[in-house]
Amino acid sequence: MSMTLDGEVAVITGGASGVGFGIAQEFAAHGARVVLTDLDRADLDRAVAQIDGPCTGIVADVTDPVAMDRALREAKSEYGRLDAVVANAGIGAHAPLGHITEDQFTRTFDVNVKGVLFTVQPALPLMPDGGSIVVIGSTASVQPPAGMSLYGGSKAAVRCLVRAWIQDIKGSGIRINVLSPGAVDTPSLRRAAEQAQGAEAVVPLVRAMGEGNPTGRIADPREIGKAAVFLASDAASFVTGVEFFVDGGVAQV
Ligand SMILES: NC(=O)c1ccc[n+]([C@@H]2O[C@H](COP(=O)([O-])OP(=O)(O)OC[C@H]3O[C@@H](n4cnc5c(N)ncnc54)[C@H](O)[C@@H]3O)[C@@H](O)[C@H]2O)c1
């Protein structure tokens, strides 16, 4: 079983922070050359500077199919190949039924569903037999918290897309899987907690999330990265179409 990504090239969308950055760190640690895409040049430059190994940042909004097509081609032409793509960029806003706006609906599905489609579709012709695509889902696909129906619905949608896509690409040798984390300790998670309940509530809230998990804690972004390395690597050569929960067991109980 080989968990190395030596010499491989991976594109990670939304790679400048949080889960995507943790994935980028683990991909680099396992030998991959990584291309991060995100919205802001300065954020990308900061992230690239912290990756130990060959790394490039490309500004590209996942909701813009032309920009994504260009970014994927640029990544391949810079490093000569494209072995793995992680469709990680995603957003989620608190939107309880009765208060959901059209803008919240459009924005959530644009980034989380349209963005995944127009990351995966243009990537496929650039990838070799043996390539791997990892779509970052969420436990919200099966356990959407109150107020998170749009987010959960968008994650359930990409999980369903992947079921069909693995049939559409039969014979290509490319695998597509969904990696669904539970709560991950990222700046955005802490920001969301602060916005919802104030600065003093952040530490108790994160602790409470951990206490509700069978492991007694929430994940570190690099733990999601390690699972993504597995799915991208030859160790997962017969794994395709699954929703791989990396959640400390929280969605299993
Ligand atoms: N943090 C968690 O607890 C958690 C749990 C389960 C799933 N996830 C999933 O992990 C992924 C990353 O989440 P995170 O917590 O790291 O969030 P984050 O906000 O820290 O990181 C997301 C990154 O994506 C970028 N991004 C946002 N919209 C974009 C767009 N249109 N085009 C390109 N880049 C864009 C942001 O600039 C940011 O750098 C998401 O798909 C999210 O749903 C997160």
Side-chain angles (χ1 to χ4, degrees), residues 72-212:
L72 289 155
R73 287 176 190 285
E74 205 178 310
K76 181 163 180 176
S77 77
E78 167 140 11
Y79 291 115
R81 52 192 291 170
L82 179 58
D83 304 283
V85 172
V86 184
N88 162 77
I91 58 168
H94 187 71
L97 187 62
H99 301 274
I100 298 173
T101 65
E102 187 180 0
D103 184 58
Q104 283 172 323
F105 175 87
T106 306
R107 192 76 199 126
T108 305
F109 277 77
D110 262 7
V111 177
N112 295 5
V113 183
K114 180 182 166 190
V116 169
L117 166 59
F118 290 105
T119 298
V120 172
Q121 189 165 264
L124 287 166
L126 305 176
M127 298 177 72
D129 187 331
S132 171
I133 293 173
V134 179
V135 174
I136 301 301
S138 166
T139 52
S141 66
V142 293
Q143 288 185 337
M148 297 298 283
S149 63
L150 287 181
Y151 179 70
S154 70
K155 294 298 186 179
V158 291
R159 195 283 165 264
C160 185
L161 296 180
V162 168
R163 287 187 194 274
W165 287 346
I166 62 165
Q167 301 169 75
D168 292 343
I169 65 166
K170 185 175 180 181
S172 67
I174 297 170
R175 297 175 295 104
I176 312 178
N177 291 289
V178 181
L179 192 172
S180 286
V184 187
D185 198 349
T186 59
S188 66
L189 177 120
R190 285 179 180 260
R191 250 191 332 269
E194 184 173 342
Q195 273 160 14
Q197 302 198 17
E200 312 77 55
V202 173
V203 171
L205 263 175
V206 170
R207 191 181 315 120
M209 281 181 215
E211 280 161 6

Side-chain angles (χ1 to χ4, degrees), residues 236-251:
S237 59
F238 205 57
V239 180
T240 193
V242 305
E243 181 166 20
F244 184 25
F245 287 97
V246 184
D247 65 347
V250 77

